[in-house]
Amino acid sequence: MKLQIALLAGDGIGPEVIDQAVKVSDAVARKFKHEITWAPALTGAAAIDAVGEPYPDETHAICVAADAVLFGAIGHPRFDHDPSAKVRPEQGLLKMRQKLGLFANVRPTFTFPSLLDKSPLKQERIEGTDLVFLRELTGGIYFGKRGREDNGETAYDTCTYTRAEVQRLAKKGFEMAMKRSKKLCCVDKANVLESSRLWRETVQAMEKEYPEVEVSYEFVDAVAMRLVQWPKAYDVLITENLFGDILTDEASVISGSMGLMPSASLGTKTSLYEPIHGSYPQAAGKDIANPLATVLSAAMLFEDKGLTEEADAIRAVVNRSLDEGMVTEDLADGGKSYKTSEVGDWLAEHV
Ligand code: IPM
Ligand code: MG
C-alpha cells in the first residue's frame, strides 16, 4: 500500500516522539512492503513563531491531501502564563479539529502486564482493563457561543449539539461495540442538561438498529467514580466533548503512565493519530520522553487502514520492549533506562 502521511510534530517533546514513530513505521513499511511518504508541516507554537499562526492554511492543505495525519503535541508554557496572548497554540488544535472534521476522538485505556505496579490503583482492580472512549470532538461547549456581558463582569460558554452530531458519533460507538464486547455506555448529565437529554433520546432511538448491543446510560459524575473503582465494568463509552476531555485524562492514569496511551481522531476529511499526552516542555530536547504512546498511535493508524498485521507487529514489539526493560526513565523505577531515540532505534530494529 502507498501511504502519504502528514507529519505534524508540533511543540515540546512532539518532534522527539514523532521521530521514533517514523522510525518504527518505516521499519514496518520495509517489512510488509509498503511505501510511506511523510509530509512534514508546521503546527502549534512552532507555527506561531514561523508564520504567526498555529494552524496555517498550508498545513491544512497538506493534511487534507494526506491519507492520515500523525501528530505530536502542541503547547508552550510562554502562552500558559499569558492570558492576554492573542494567538495561542491550542487555538490551532481546535481549528484543526474543526477544519478536518475530526468528530470522533477514540481514546483507549488498557493495561500492560509488565506495568501493573505503575498504576496508582490496586492491581486486582485494573488488571485486564480494556475500555475505549469515543469523545465527540467538534461540538459542545468547546465550540458553542461564548462571551462577556456587563462590562466583562459576566462570562458564558454554551453547550450546543444537533441530533445529527450525536448520531454520527453514536454510530461509531455502536459499530465499535459490535466489534468488541457489544457493550456501550452513553455518558451524560441528562438529569440536568437539555443537551444531554438530546444525546440520550438520540442514542435510545438508535438502539433498535443494533439489537445485539447492550446500552447503558450513566451520569458523568457516577462514571467518574466508577471508572477508578471498577474500570473493568466498561467497554465502549460515548460522550460529549468536555466530559470526554475530563474522563479520558482520568482514565489514562489506570494504565500507569501518561506516556503510554495512543489516540485517533476520525474525521470527515482525514483522520489524525496522536499520543494523549501533551508537549511536556520540561523534557523537550532532552531525549528522555517516552515515545510509546506515539508509536502506538502509529499502530492505530495502520489498523484503521486495514493493516492489522502491521499494527499487531508494532504492539508486539512495544510489549517486548517493556518486558525486556528497554524503557525510558519514567518507567525505569530508578533502574537502567534508555533515551527516547534508543528506544525508537530498538523498536525499529526488532519490528
Ligand atoms: C486534549 C487537550 C485539549 C482539549 C486542549 C489542549 C485544548 O486537553 O486533547 O484533551 O481540551 O481538547
Ligand atoms: Mg484533555
Side-chain angles (χ1 to χ4, degrees):
M1 187 185 277
K2 277 194 178 164
L3 281 173
Q4 159 114 356
I5 305 178
L7 204 55
L8 274 53
D11 304 321
I13 58 167
E16 295 159 60
V17 292
I18 281 285
D19 276 352
Q20 315 319 314
V22 168
K23 282 182 205 168
V24 176
S25 303
D26 281 339
V28 168
R30 274 194 300 277
K31 182 178 161 93
F32 292 90
K33 314 250 178 306
H34 302 299
E35 206 180 298
I36 303 180
T37 318
W38 301 100
L42 286 170
T43 186
I48 297 178
D49 291 342
V51 296
E53 74 135 320
Y55 184 64
D57 290 345
E58 199 193 336
T59 297
H60 181 63
I62 291 175
C63 291
V64 171
D67 298 307
V69 182
L70 191 62
F71 185 88
I74 68 170
H76 194 283
R78 101 180 113 93
F79 298 93
D80 296 345
H81 306 303
D82 177 11
S84 70
K86 290 262 175 317
V87 212
R88 318 177 68 80
E90 288 78 7
Q91 289 166 341
L93 194 62
L94 299 183
K95 194 168 157 197
M96 179 178 76
R97 287 174 182 171
Q98 196 167 42
K99 287 184 77 172
L100 292 174
L102 304 176
F103 68 91
N105 183 212
V106 184
R107 294 188 170 182
T109 289
F110 46 87
T111 53
F112 295 87
S114 52
L115 299 179
L116 288 173
D117 60 328
K118 294 282 179 305
S119 174
L121 302 181
K122 289 201 183 81
Q123 197 158 322
E124 67 268 22
R125 293 199 180 243
I126 59 159
E127 195 165 11
T129 297
D130 182 9
L131 58 87
V132 55
F133 274 95
L134 261 93
R135 165 189 176 194
E136 201 291 326
L137 203 60
T138 52
I141 201 163
Y142 273 63
F143 294 95
K145 213 188 230 176
R146 69 179 97 250
R148 294 273 180 126
E149 287 169 352
D150 308 333
N151 294 324
E153 294 309 296
T154 306
Y156 62 93
D157 298 272
T158 49
C159 178
T160 308
Y161 271 107
T162 64
R163 196 179 302 276
E165 283 175 316
V166 180
Q167 276 165 344
R168 68 176 177 179
L169 193 271
K171 182 165 182 282
K172 292 269 180 222
F174 277 109
E175 286 167 1
M176 194 171 282
M178 282 303 290
K179 289 197 205 129
R180 295 170 52 106
S181 74
K182 303 194 168 120
K183 265 172 47 184
L184 180 70
C185 177
C186 174
V187 184
D188 62 30
K189 189 71 187 172
N191 50 348
V192 179
L193 303 177
E194 194 56 38
S195 53
S196 283
R197 289 192 276 272
L198 177 72
W199 268 75
R200 201 172 270 220
E201 166 190 314
T202 306
V203 176
Q204 272 167 351
M206 292 171 77
E207 277 188 42
K208 55 180 182 307
E209 293 165 51
Y210 304 89
E212 285 173 63
V213 178
E214 181 197 325
V215 189
S216 65
Y217 298 84
E218 294 182 34
F219 297 138
V220 60
D221 47 350
V223 174
M225 182 182 68
R226 286 233 295 156
L227 199 54
V228 284
Q229 245 174 1
W230 197 243
K232 282 181 260 191
Y234 295 109
D235 186 20
V236 180
L237 302 100
I238 53 174
T239 193
E240 65 91 44
N241 206 339
L242 182 61
F243 296 161
D245 178 46
I246 299 166
L247 291 177
T248 55
D249 261 26
E250 187 192 358
S252 76
V253 304
I254 295 171
S255 66
S257 165
M258 261 273 190
L260 293 172
M261 289 296 125
S263 78
S265 297
L266 312 178
T268 51
K269 298 253 187 338
T270 186
S271 293
L272 176 140
Y273 299 82
E274 63 171 316
I276 66 155
H277 60 69
S279 58
Y280 192 18
Q282 304 85 335
K286 294 192 182 148
D287 204 14
I288 56 169
N290 188 338
L292 295 185
T294 315
V295 170
L296 290 169
S297 300
M300 286 181 90
L301 190 162
F302 283 111
E303 178 94 58
D304 285 351
K305 295 288 169 201
L307 305 174
T308 306
E309 248 185 280
E310 290 77 347
D312 285 344
I314 296 181
R315 292 189 277 251
V317 79
V318 164
N319 273 321
R320 192 170 151 204
S321 72
L322 294 171
D323 291 344
E324 295 189 16
M326 177 41 83
V327 293
T328 42
E329 64 177 32
D330 55 308
L331 297 178
D333 265 339
K336 173 103 183 101
S337 70
Y338 297 83
K339 297 285 183 194
T340 310
S341 53
E342 290 174 321
V343 172
D345 289 339
W346 191 94
L347 293 170
E349 196 180 310
H350 290 78
V351 153

